[in-house]
Amino acid sequence: MSARSKRMHRWSGWLFVSPWLLGLALLFVYPFVASLIWSFTEYDLLTSPRFVGIDHYERIVREIIQGKGFGKALWNTFYYAAVSIPLSIMLAIGLAVMLNWKVRGQAFFRTLFYLPSMVPMVASSILWLWLLDPRDGMVNGLLGFVYETPPLWFQGIQEGMSFSSPLQFGSKDGLTLMSLWGVGNFMLIYLAALGDVDASLYQAAELDGAGWLRKFRYITLPMLSPIIFFNLILGIIQSVQAFTQVYIVSEGTGQPAEASLLISLQLFLTAFRDLEMGYASAIAWVLFVVLALATWGLFRSSRNWVHYRGVRM
Amino acid sequence: MFQRIMLAMLLILAGIVAVWGATISLTNELPADREEVVFWHFWSGPDGEIVDEVVTRFNQSQDMYYVRAVSMPGNNFDMKLFLSITGGAPPDLINQDDPIVADWAFRGAIYSMEEIAPPGEVEQMKSWLLPSALSLGEYNDRLFAVCNGLDIRALYFNRELVEQALAEVAPVELESVEQLDRIAELCTKYTEGELSQIGYLPDPRRLWAWGPVFGGDFYDEQTGQVTANDESIVKALDWMTGYRKRLGANAVATYRQNDQSLPNKMFPLLAQRYAVILDGQWRVRDIEAAQQASRAEDQPVTPYGVWPLPSKSRRGKAGWVNGNVFLVPRHAKNPKGAWEFIKFWTGMEGHEKDAAKLCAAGGWIPVSKQVAESEEFQTYLNAHPLFARFVEFAATDQVPTPLVPGANRYYREVNNLVQRVLYDDKVVDLTAELSALDQMMQEHIDRIHQRPSFAEDHADE
């Protein structure tokens, strides 16, 4: 190949990747850098940003200490993530294990349990508003046999998994239930992973006299651990990004009394309702750092519990 | 063969796109010698059709301007507007109903009418508008927004239920909140130990109404101080909390007013969940429709009435007003055309009949006394006596959410606080809670004020 054609070849390569590079620069790198700069400014979208140093970060620390504003949203998101992620993992694994049983109608059941995750978020949010209505909802109709005063769900500020109001489910618990409804995607990944587990492992365990619980504990779970790890990280990211469902059930305000104000909604309200783009950028950056730390922590811990093909990494 | 099929499909697709493109260009065609006025609003359905109608009438009356109305979802309206302003291509006129006028004015997102219209006409507009309508648009002695439809809240009541409970004819007006409490108590019913009907229940969003009724103010314009912990507002919140104490937080949250469980978000008064409820004039349409349906089915027609908020005994204001306002975004290409449309809509300069027709079609409260008193509108009021009461209340001293930068968040935070108090049985110190909110909002408003206002920022331009 001549030098000229080599050059042409190189240029055509750049030309082909240029749409992607342009997209990366405009839609990712620029906003990424701009938001970092804005986080040190007072910026309302309409007038030029004004440098304010670390004021926004100080405010974030203050609000975390007071448990207001960002502090409240951070707690709500933490609660939502802490309850919904383990539950969704357990439910998805449980369903995947059951749907892996060789029974008649296996394909039908697999489709049935996957279907809810295909329902658009807006439609499922409205459906859940009806299902979890404290007075006329179907869920409380059933819980009425157990509870003297049924949970308030999206109208309640209580936290059903907290010590202060145990099993008195409020709006965040409603959101958690909604997230479990869409567990089909996770389930599908577990199902695929289960098909990949070497049958000889189970046979060897059976020869050693292991029951189904032991096989599940010592074979299935370790073999699924890379997927659990993957879904755990994905779950954390999804919890922080949860917006549509929160916006719909709380009428865009995080009501009642900010009980369903997750970070993504707070960021939206701060940036586009209160016109505090600088502060919203600072929130986004703090969130980025928190997420990065959580992911790093998970990667560190994964050495102790994630097994790749039976080998602990 | 495959290539031929693909080619044929491509040709068909190109044809569809071409026809579609031609249709679009035809519908957007601007008449010759006319300047386009782009108007963004969030009305849709029957209200959207009424807006289209008034736009058509305006366009027919004009030989200079041509309004193109664009209906868009209200959820992210603000975000789209700011991006359009920042991008240098805003619409010429928008409609809004949030308490954002002062905030946007301070930041320079909108023109004051003094900047776009002759001074004489602005003065005429100020005297044309009802005081409550004017109060929604004036900030720093300038008119930044022109109200195009008032929203007034009053107490609807089911006459049958109230008269049964009182064992006498329902009063024309309530004398005091205590009288409302008595009626509420009498009308609250339990079936098999469970609450089945609420007499009255304060809506957490309406401390904004009850605060002024109790004689309180949320903001002191003279000193620039947030006064959420005003003694009268504390009393109003304490009064609202009384309902939670009597009924329990669970019942208050369950019987909330914006009940999603009712089919098509049915007005809870019609479902007989409430005997008395605080709501706006738009509910008259629902009531009349329900009454008409009962007549059509030869069923007994339930009579309803409306009371103004009982403010006299507390020497407070008549209530809380909000509404839709016209705003002209900064850098709009045709603000003068926008002003002409505003005058047409509000009925100024001989357009009373058009404005009356518009208000009657939409069931909207006119923003001007002259329009309300016009023959056309009086005919409408005679046919809709419940609505007539709201028009009457619009002329009383209704107060808006304070016109101060940051009011949007102030509005949200007050509602959050009231929800926290009403939806939880935990006993809280209301004064302390309102004082904490007061301090938080003062900091927020001060932070905004620390920025140079748009006027200061552009003083040298």
Side-chain angles (χ1 to χ4, degrees):
Chain A
M1 195 183 277
S2 70
R4 186 183 144 76
S5 67
K6 260 187 187 171
R7 215 169 35 244
M8 282 293 288
H9 203 68
R10 204 164 47 236
W11 273 110
S12 59
W14 281 109
L15 200 68
F16 275 112
V17 294
S18 62
W20 183 85
L21 281 178
L22 209 67
L24 180 84
L26 286 175
L27 303 174
F28 185 77
V29 178
Y30 169 70
F32 194 76
V33 175
S35 70
L36 180 64
I37 296 168
W38 289 343
S39 73
F40 297 102
T41 66
E42 195 80 68
Y43 179 40
D44 64 2
L45 282 173
L46 298 162
T47 47
S48 324
R50 199 167 55 98
F51 185 72
V52 291
I54 56 165
D55 280 12
H56 294 318
Y57 292 97
E58 282 176 359
R59 184 176 158 195
I60 285 174
V61 172
R62 218 168 37 243
E63 289 189 346
I64 291 174
I65 294 166
Q66 292 169 346
K68 287 179 177 165
F70 178 73
K72 178 87 182 159
L74 191 65
W75 164 251
N76 287 342
T77 311
F78 173 76
Y79 178 93
Y80 173 65
V83 177
S84 69
I85 296 172
L87 282 180
S88 66
I89 288 175
M90 284 191 279
L91 185 66
I93 292 176
L95 282 174
V97 168
M98 283 194 282
L99 293 172
N100 204 33
W101 293 342
K102 304 279 181 274
V103 291
R104 185 182 289 187
Q106 189 193 43
F108 169 75
F109 286 117
R110 284 181 176 185
T111 314
L112 192 73
F113 282 101
Y114 181 69
L115 267 179
S117 48
M118 289 176 70
V119 178
M121 189 59 84
V122 175
S124 69
S125 302
I126 290 166
L127 178 77
W128 278 100
L129 269 175
W130 282 54
L131 286 173
L132 295 180
D133 183 81
R135 191 186 137 102
D136 297 323
M138 197 192 284
V139 174
N140 273 10
L142 297 171
L143 291 178
F145 297 109
V146 186
Y147 282 83
E148 198 180 330
T149 47
L152 291 170
W153 298 113
F154 294 125
Q155 294 307 314
I157 59 174
Q158 298 80 0
E159 290 160 353
M161 300 308 224
S162 69
F163 293 114
S164 57
S165 53
L167 299 180
Q168 279 303 311
F169 300 116
S171 55
K172 287 191 285 292
D173 304 298
L175 287 168
T176 302
L177 215 55
M178 272 177 73
S179 73
L180 298 183
W181 160 261
V183 87
N185 285 323
F186 287 166
M187 179 198 78
L188 210 64
I189 304 173
Y190 288 121
L191 207 51
L194 279 174
D196 220 22
V197 180
D198 196 341
S200 63
L201 294 174
Y202 291 114
Q203 286 162 2
E206 275 165 21
L207 285 175
D208 287 344
W212 71 268
L213 192 65
R214 277 173 177 267
K215 280 193 281 183
F216 179 75
R217 165 72 183 83
Y218 293 106
I219 299 172
T220 310
L221 271 186
M223 293 307 281
L224 286 183
S225 60
I227 312 298
I228 295 175
F229 177 55
F230 168 74
N231 282 342
L232 196 60
I233 291 176
L234 216 65
I236 293 175
I237 294 169
Q238 281 178 358
S239 303
V240 171
Q241 288 183 343
F243 180 80
T244 312
Q245 64 272 45
V246 187
Y247 191 91
I248 292 169
V249 303
S250 74
E251 295 176 15
T253 60
Q255 69 177 14
E258 295 183 326
S260 56
L261 184 75
L262 300 196
I263 281 181
S264 54
L265 181 60
Q266 208 237 355
L267 213 143
F268 172 80
L269 291 174
T270 308
F272 297 109
R273 288 280 187 275
D274 303 336
L275 295 178
E276 294 188 282
M277 187 53 97
Y279 181 57
S281 300
I283 291 176
W285 269 92
V286 169
L287 207 62
F288 173 71
V289 173
V290 169
L291 268 181
L293 285 175
T295 312
W296 176 77
L298 275 175
F299 266 98
R300 284 294 298 256
S301 75
S302 70
R303 292 172 192 169
N304 302 318
W305 61 275
V306 177
H307 306 260
Y308 291 95
R309 291 274 166 197
V311 179
R312 212 182 261 176
M313 299 300 277
Chain B
M1 184 63 188
F2 177 72
Q3 281 177 336
R4 278 186 193 169
I5 292 171
M6 286 300 287
L7 190 69
M9 282 176 75
L10 267 175
L11 281 173
I12 292 167
L13 194 71
I16 292 169
V17 171
V19 171
W20 180 57
T23 324
I24 284 182
S25 72
L26 284 175
T27 47
N28 286 349
E29 202 175 337
L30 181 70
D33 304 327
R34 300 272 283 272
E35 292 175 35
E36 190 178 51
V37 178
V38 179
F39 170 39
W40 284 9
H41 64 84
F42 47 68
W43 284 296
S44 57
D47 285 342
E49 284 168 25
I50 294 164
V51 173
D52 287 342
E53 226 172 89
V54 72
V55 165
T56 307
R57 280 211 302 276
F58 173 78
N59 288 339
Q60 283 165 353
S61 75
Q62 277 284 319
D63 52 13
M64 196 162 177
Y65 301 109
Y66 185 86
V67 170
R68 184 161 63 86
V70 182
S71 173
M72 53 178 64
N75 285 349
N76 295 326
F77 196 89
D78 300 4
M79 189 167 72
K80 283 174 193 148
L81 177 72
F82 295 137
L83 294 178
S84 73
I85 294 175
T86 316
D92 299 298
L93 182 68
I94 62 158
N95 177 69
Q96 247 293 351
D97 64 351
D98 287 332
I100 42 71
V101 174
D103 200 271
W104 292 10
F106 180 82
R107 296 173 199 269
I110 49 176
Y111 284 120
S112 72
M113 299 303 145
E114 285 83 353
E115 288 173 275
I116 63 165
E121 287 188 7
V122 178
E123 285 311 309
Q124 202 186 336
M125 178 61 82
K126 285 183 179 178
S127 52
W128 180 257
L129 296 172
L130 285 168
S132 50
L134 182 63
S135 70
L136 289 167
E138 259 192 327
Y139 169 64
N140 275 353
D141 295 327
R142 285 198 288 167
L143 188 64
F144 279 94
V146 177
C147 181
N148 60 51
L150 284 162
D151 287 340
I152 300 290
R153 307 302 189 289
L155 293 160
Y156 287 95
F157 63 96
N158 181 322
R159 194 174 286 281
E160 224 166 59
L161 294 180
V162 169
E163 291 185 351
Q164 261 173 23
L166 288 174
E168 60 183 31
V169 176
V172 178
E173 279 191 20
L174 295 175
E175 282 167 14
S176 60
V177 284
E178 286 76 18
Q179 192 183 9
L180 174 62
D181 291 343
R182 270 198 305 280
I183 291 172
E185 200 181 335
L186 289 171
C187 291
T188 300
K189 287 179 186 162
Y190 291 83
T191 310
E192 293 171 8
E194 280 202 18
L195 192 61
S196 55
Q197 182 183 292
I198 291 274
Y200 172 73
L201 190 62
D203 181 338
R205 296 167 302 171
R206 299 292 171 251
L207 180 61
W208 289 102
W210 288 110
V213 165
F214 272 69
D217 265 322
F218 282 92
Y219 188 73
D220 186 337
E221 276 183 36
Q222 303 300 320
T223 60
Q225 292 297 305
V226 175
T227 52
N229 57 353
D230 181 308
E231 201 183 321
S232 301
I233 291 173
V234 178
K235 278 184 187 162
L237 182 56
D238 186 46
W239 169 75
M240 290 169 85
T241 315
Y243 279 82
R244 185 210 71 198
K245 288 176 187 161
R246 287 193 287 279
L247 299 167
N250 207 287
V252 173
T254 306
Y255 275 82
R256 75 216 180 274
Q257 190 164 335
N258 52 342
D259 199 331
Q260 302 276 353
S261 71
L262 292 165
N264 302 321
K265 291 192 179 178
M266 186 185 185
F267 187 27
L269 189 77
L270 297 176
Q272 301 220 344
R273 286 197 177 176
Y274 280 72
V276 182
I277 195 166
L278 181 69
D279 217 318
Q281 77 281 350
W282 53 88
R283 291 300 191 182
V284 172
R285 271 202 255 185
D286 297 342
I287 289 176
E288 288 178 350
Q291 288 176 326
Q292 214 168 349
S294 298
R295 268 186 220 107
E297 290 166 13
D298 275 336
Q299 297 289 321
V301 176
T302 312
Y304 296 94
V306 182
W307 292 315
L309 302 189
S311 57
K312 285 172 194 159
S313 64
R314 306 267 173 170
R315 293 185 188 156
K317 299 278 183 351
W320 174 70
V321 64
N322 73 329
N324 286 282
V325 291
F326 283 131
L327 303 164
V328 181
R330 196 160 288 277
H331 309 309
K333 287 183 188 69
N334 203 342
K336 290 194 191 314
W339 175 249
E340 284 305 317
F341 183 63
I342 293 172
K343 285 193 294 182
F344 184 86
W345 182 298
T346 52
M348 223 174 90
E349 294 185 347
H351 296 298
E352 293 94 334
K353 274 188 186 176
D354 280 306
K357 209 194 259 184
L358 165 73
C359 291
W364 298 337
I365 298 177
V367 293
S368 158
K369 194 174 167 218
Q370 284 87 332
V371 176
E373 286 176 351
S374 69
E375 204 184 317
E376 288 77 10
F377 202 69
Q378 285 299 313
T379 314
Y380 176 78
L381 291 185
N382 289 337
H384 304 275
L386 270 188
F387 188 81
R389 298 225 63 194
F390 281 91
V391 177
E392 200 183 297
F393 305 152
T396 56
D397 57 345
Q398 308 274 339
V399 288
T401 310
L403 267 84
V404 57
N408 210 10
R409 181 167 168 209
Y410 191 11
Y411 179 78
R412 211 170 60 230
E413 295 290 355
V414 168
N415 294 347
N416 282 336
L417 188 149
V418 185
Q419 281 175 350
R420 206 159 53 239
V421 171
L422 292 189
Y423 290 177
D424 197 347
D425 283 314
K426 211 161 46 189
V427 178
V428 290
D429 181 344
L430 299 181
T431 310
E433 289 284 329
L434 282 165
S435 296
L437 178 110
D438 194 293
Q439 195 189 336
M440 181 173 73
M441 288 321 304
Q442 190 66 54
E443 279 171 19
H444 179 64
I445 291 168
D446 288 346
R447 205 164 38 237
I448 298 173
H449 276 134
Q450 273 167 16
R451 288 184 66 88
S453 72
F454 182 81
E456 288 160 355
D457 212 19
H458 292 72
D460 52 341
E461 284 179 14

